[in-house]
Amino acid sequence: MRLRFWGTRGSLPVSADAAAIAGKIARALVAADGRRFADEQAALAFVTGELPFSAGGGYGGATSCVEIDRGTGAFLLCDLGSGLRGFGGSAIARYAEGRPRDFRIFLSHLHWDHIMGFPFFGPAYDPQARITIYAGHAEAREALVRQQEAISFPVPFTALGAAIDFVTLTPGEPIDIDGLTVSVIRQFHDHDSYGFRIEGDGRTLIYSTDSEHPVDDMEGETRFERFFGGADTVICDTMYSLADAVTLREDWGHSSSLTALDLCRAAGARRLVMFHHEPAASDAMIETVHRETIRYEELGRGDGPPIEVVCAYDGLELDV
């Protein structure tokens, strides 16, 4: 399985403003220290090889959308955030490679940032495409129809050309999807969200976003340790700092990178992918949290195996 991250922010899409872009350019010029570059390729090598990621790149601004690419067969996707538009264009381009116009989508929940990309999803307008949406919420179809009502969007859901089906999943009842075993777990979030455990090709992937882990809920912690158990990669909600998650933003339905790492360690997971970044956080702030989480992993490792800590960004690709 190869993961492609098309959207990694939470709550709403964001973009870098003029001041943020100017700041990145200024930091690059200072770091270059008068150096001259023969061409753009040489300058790009400096940017990608010598600058901090927050100065030479960035974490992006699209909301949740992650592709699971097995190379052949149906397209697999987690969530329908604003990153879906970019994925749709990429998928259409890959039709020429012989990929079927078949999409299997795992929908964590129905909040706007996780469904807002669907009206802009090119394959949804293709009469030859088939889209199956798997969700823990029986109201998934209602939510997608509602956001395309005339008061909100000019094209109604009924005008979409693709064949669109909905399958409601139940915790504790795994199902087979294209040779993958898929299980769901109910998560602590307003109107509930659902995490996915996807097993196949000798690998295990966890997709668990928009999930709060209350510090006094030991039974819930045990459930998630079992659900994450032995996973190769865990994509996890790390929206807030630990301090905010347990004080100012308690009961807001999100978690921290330190809590996510503790769960991964207890579950014997091999890699944590930090995800669903706070929209108000700058690239530099996210990068700092990433460094602190790596250090926390090192300090708490003891004699146990290391856990790789990756910070997701729009455009990141990883093998599970």
Side-chain angles (χ1 to χ4, degrees):
M1 299 180 198
R2 187 163 184 81
L3 304 177
R4 292 190 181 91
F5 291 81
W6 296 92
T8 60
R9 290 275 179 171
S11 298
L12 78 165
V14 294
S15 62
D17 59 20
I21 294 170
K24 288 176 182 285
I25 295 172
R27 287 193 292 277
L29 290 173
V30 170
D33 195 24
R35 202 179 324 182
R36 296 181 63 85
F37 303 100
D39 51 32
E40 285 190 16
Q41 195 63 31
L44 183 61
F46 163 73
V47 168
T48 57
E50 299 186 42
L51 292 180
F53 183 71
S54 61
Y59 294 91
T63 61
S64 302
C65 184
V66 181
E67 177 187 0
I68 306 166
D69 188 3
R70 301 172 77 195
T72 59
F75 291 96
L76 304 174
L77 201 67
C78 296
D79 275 338
L80 302 168
S82 65
L84 184 66
R85 183 182 182 187
F87 164 74
S90 172
I92 290 170
R94 282 181 269 168
Y95 290 168
E97 301 172 3
R99 293 291 292 269
R101 304 184 185 199
D102 191 3
F103 298 83
R104 311 297 173 86
I105 296 167
F106 308 121
L107 183 59
S108 66
H109 65 304
L110 310 180
H111 285 166
W112 190 33
D113 53 323
H114 292 258
I115 65 172
M116 67 194 319
F118 197 69
F120 302 93
F121 184 40
Y125 295 84
D126 178 3
Q128 298 181 57
R130 184 175 190 87
I131 300 169
T132 306
I133 298 174
Y134 300 88
H137 296 84
E139 319 97 313
R141 186 181 191 280
E142 176 188 348
L144 294 185
V145 169
R146 188 170 54 210
Q147 76 168 344
Q148 289 189 231
E149 290 178 352
I151 196 170
S152 301
F153 196 76
V155 181
F157 186 88
T158 53
L160 300 178
I164 304 173
D165 298 310
F166 293 83
V167 177
T168 303
L169 303 181
T170 302
E173 298 181 9
I175 66 168
D176 180 90
I177 300 172
D178 291 349
L180 298 173
T181 300
V182 180
S183 308
V184 296
I185 188 171
R186 187 168 63 86
Q187 302 178 140
F188 186 81
H189 192 73
D190 187 50
H191 198 65
D192 293 336
S193 69
Y194 290 84
F196 289 82
R197 182 182 176 97
I198 302 166
E199 300 172 88
D201 305 333
R203 315 299 285 175
T204 298
L205 169 69
I206 302 294
Y207 181 76
S208 176
T209 189
D210 293 67
S211 178
E212 184 171 351
H213 301 279
V215 294
D216 57 351
D217 183 8
M218 299 307 295
E219 181 181 346
E221 184 175 2
T222 301
R223 280 195 312 123
F224 279 90
E225 289 172 7
R226 287 198 299 265
F227 193 77
F228 287 14
D232 296 285
T233 296
V234 176
I235 302 171
C236 202
D237 184 325
T238 58
M239 189 169 183
Y240 301 142
S241 70
L242 178 61
D244 280 350
V246 300
T247 56
L248 296 174
R249 296 178 180 182
E250 185 180 10
D251 295 331
W252 284 28
H254 297 284
S255 189
S256 72
S257 61
L258 303 190
T259 298
L261 186 60
D262 285 343
L263 284 170
C264 286
R265 182 179 289 120
R270 296 170 179 83
R271 175 197 282 154
L272 166 66
V273 181
M274 297 166 55
F275 186 73
H276 204 269
H277 307 309
E278 162 65 55
S282 68
D283 290 327
M285 292 167 64
I286 295 172
E287 187 173 57
T288 296
V289 174
H290 184 204
R291 286 198 303 265
E292 291 173 347
T293 307
I294 291 173
R295 182 58 176 155
Y296 180 72
E297 189 280 330
E298 293 170 345
L299 292 172
R301 185 184 306 165
D303 296 328
I307 299 172
E308 181 185 4
V309 181
V310 176
C311 195
Y313 58 86
D314 297 2
L316 173 66
E317 296 191 13
L318 291 172
D319 289 322
V320 177

